[in-house]
Amino acid sequence: MAEVFVSVLIISGIAAALALILVFCESIIQNYGPCKITINGKKELTVEGGKPLLSSLRERKIFLPSACGGRGTCGVCKCKVLSGAGPVLPTETPFLDAKEQKENIRLSCQVKVKNDIAIEIPDALFFIQQYQVTLTAVEDLTYDMKRFRFELTEPAEMEFVAGQYVQITCPSYQQGVEEVDRAYSIASDPKDNHFIDLIVRRVPNGICTVWMFDYLKIGDRVQMTGPYGEFRISNAQTPMIFIAGGSGMAPFVSILHQMKNSGSKRKAEYFFGGNTVRDLCLSEQMAKFEKTLADFKFIPVVSRPAPEDKWNGQTGLVTEAVKRTYTDVSGYEGYLCGSPGMIDASIKVLMELGMAKERIFYDKFA
Amino acid sequence: MPTAGNFSSEIWLAVVTCFAAVFTQNILLSYFLGMCSFVSVSKEVKTAAGLGLAVVVVITATSILNWMAYWWVLVPLGLEFYRFILFIIIIAAFVQLLEMVIDRYSPALYLALGIFLPLITVNCAVLGSVLWMVIRNYSFVVSVGFGLGSGLGWMMAIVAMAGIRQRLDESKIPAGLRGPGITLIIAGIMALAFIGFTGVLQ
């Protein structure tokens, strides 16, 4: 019996010794000392070397957008690195095209700060803050979509432009689930800046949506960062076509609020696609906007209406409805939000109808 | 401990063992060890060569470390039956350390090998060749030769496979066989070809 214990002890001892050696070597080899990060040539930060650029910046309250939590799977945290990053890593190449590589665009979660480094980020990113928020209301929009209302507690208000998005931190709510950040467009009135509404569609087995639908309770405190993104309506006075599907509804709710607040007279037609009548949502709110806005029309499109629904609106895909409605959209601007497939199809149709590529704006949610 | 004969005959034996490990007893094509990375990382010659190189380095180095750990620690203490656990621990620790050192001191090498190193920790070819080394009672010098040969043999096989698969990219393969299916069939044919080497060395 004693032999068993002694032998187990010996092997554990060897394993512990190896672990100690590793820890010891790591503290020597991976110790890069303090490194300087120069941002846009003016702001300088001194950070502990050896960590990824994304988390080093995060520690100093500069939030680059990132959806996967720094594991190099989403490709959102791109950032221009002027010097000090070393060669492009194999883990980055799938996300960077030739043009980006030439311009020294890198994935900030993969680039480690090993020496002084100079980066360039849009000035807007300096305004991104971390917010503590509390869930105050949940509303069912359809069978698989909900609207979540969060009250900002610390800081108490967020200045954002309609169309922008926030990232919500989904905690490790279950064993085996790592903490991730997920991006959702803001669906609330920019004037009402103590609150953030998010419209979320349940993704079967989606890490964050399962958490929001099944685990998150009213009164829970959550972290979010924002506002991110360049999706917003232009200052032009041209008429607009909005195209959305599913939770792509969110930014347009915010945009319509903003148009109402500013008394905009722009013509806007909003095509919202769903598979069945069950997928349509917020029809009452849209009807209200049709009354209050100068020239707004909401056009729900159902691709497979069931006979018992007695659907008498537009049918088919949203793109087909757009094709039926217009013959020439060269004088319009297009705003799209939805799945990549829907967006690509819409861009194709709008361009066929004569819209210039630079007048099409979109937010793609993969 | 396997005793060493005179030095020059030891070296000769090591060379022969190394040659045998590459050709007649190729760890991949004769014993089918290390199949998972062989199938999944053999799409391109360049990456296959990178992984192969990493395997060569790790098998050779861990052969040395594990030989010492086995004959100097486990055998004197009478704990040979712990060799599986100990070998795995040593391989994992060595790979970790190697990755750290390369990451710090050679960005170029890290680019070539870095992403493959964590894969190798769980490559059974590494554990397999280390176990053979002790089962067959190789002396230290011969163990080094055997480790090097096993690694080179594995690398040769995966690079050859990658070359074949690159050519296959343009050929018409039935849908059900694409990917791992055709790869395993090719591996079988390559293994048959390697039988031709048996008997070259006795």
Side-chain angles (χ1 to χ4, degrees), chain A residues 2-271:
Chain A
E3 282 167 17
V4 175
F5 281 118
V6 172
S7 60
V8 168
L9 270 181
I10 290 173
I11 294 298
S12 316
I14 295 174
L18 284 170
L20 269 179
I21 293 174
L22 278 180
V23 172
F24 179 70
C25 291
E26 190 173 9
S27 69
I28 294 177
I29 297 173
Q30 300 285 62
N31 182 2
Y32 295 90
C35 300
K36 212 164 62 186
I37 304 179
T38 312
I39 305 171
N40 296 357
K42 15 180 215 219
K43 199 175 157 86
E44 280 184 3
L45 303 175
T46 309
V47 300
E48 194 62 42
K51 282 191 220 141
L53 180 58
L54 178 70
S55 43
S56 300
L57 288 173
R58 209 186 166 100
E59 274 167 22
R60 306 303 297 270
K61 300 284 169 214
I62 294 175
F63 301 99
L64 299 187
S66 146
C68 65
R71 282 173 301 150
T73 54
C74 68
V76 175
C77 62
K78 286 175 189 169
C79 148
K80 187 164 186 164
V81 182
L82 301 171
S83 67
V88 178
L89 300 167
T91 42
E92 296 176 76
T93 41
F95 299 101
L96 302 172
D97 60 32
K99 186 169 159 256
E100 286 173 325
Q101 292 198 20
K102 217 169 161 189
E103 289 173 352
N104 294 321
I105 307 280
R106 303 290 297 269
L107 285 196
S108 63
C109 67
Q110 297 300 310
V111 172
K112 280 192 180 162
V113 183
K114 294 179 179 174
N115 38 41
D116 292 354
I117 198 166
I119 62 170
E120 233 177 67
I121 57 176
D123 280 330
L125 289 182
F126 287 120
F127 299 109
I128 292 168
Q129 283 182 296
Q130 191 163 41
Y131 294 84
Q132 302 290 334
V133 301
T134 310
L135 182 68
T136 55
V138 181
E139 178 193 348
D140 282 314
L141 298 185
T142 70
Y143 65 98
D144 69 344
M145 259 162 62
K146 283 182 200 265
R147 175 154 60 182
F148 294 85
R149 165 150 280 222
F150 294 96
E151 186 177 3
L152 304 178
T153 39
E154 181 64 41
E157 44 192 61
M158 184 192 294
E159 294 298 326
F160 66 92
V161 181
Q164 286 194 299
Y165 67 91
V166 289
Q167 287 193 173
I168 184 162
T169 305
C170 167
S172 160
Y173 56 91
Q174 204 181 40
Q175 201 145 39
V177 173
E178 286 175 59
E179 182 180 298
V180 290
D181 283 356
R182 285 288 183 265
Y184 294 103
S185 291
I186 304 171
S188 45
D189 190 342
K191 206 175 63 185
D192 199 6
N193 59 12
H194 297 292
F195 290 95
I196 294 291
D197 285 355
L198 305 179
I199 293 177
V200 182
R201 184 177 197 170
R202 189 184 186 110
V203 178
N205 300 321
I207 298 172
C208 191
T209 61
V210 166
W211 167 66
M212 290 182 79
F213 274 66
D214 299 345
Y215 290 80
L216 196 58
K217 304 223 163 37
I218 289 180
D220 282 356
R221 288 169 72 92
V222 188
Q223 269 189 8
M224 54 171 73
T225 56
Y228 299 95
E230 301 297 315
F231 186 65
R232 61 193 61 177
I233 56 170
S234 70
N235 294 323
Q237 285 308 313
T238 46
M240 299 179 285
I241 300 171
F242 299 160
I243 304 177
S247 54
M249 169 64 91
F252 295 110
V253 177
S254 190
I255 284 172
L256 291 167
H257 274 295
Q258 193 186 25
M259 286 172 69
K260 195 181 77 187
N261 298 342
S262 64
S264 167
K265 299 266 183 290
R266 285 179 84 170
K267 178 186 166 85
E269 283 174 333
Y270 180 8
F271 293 84

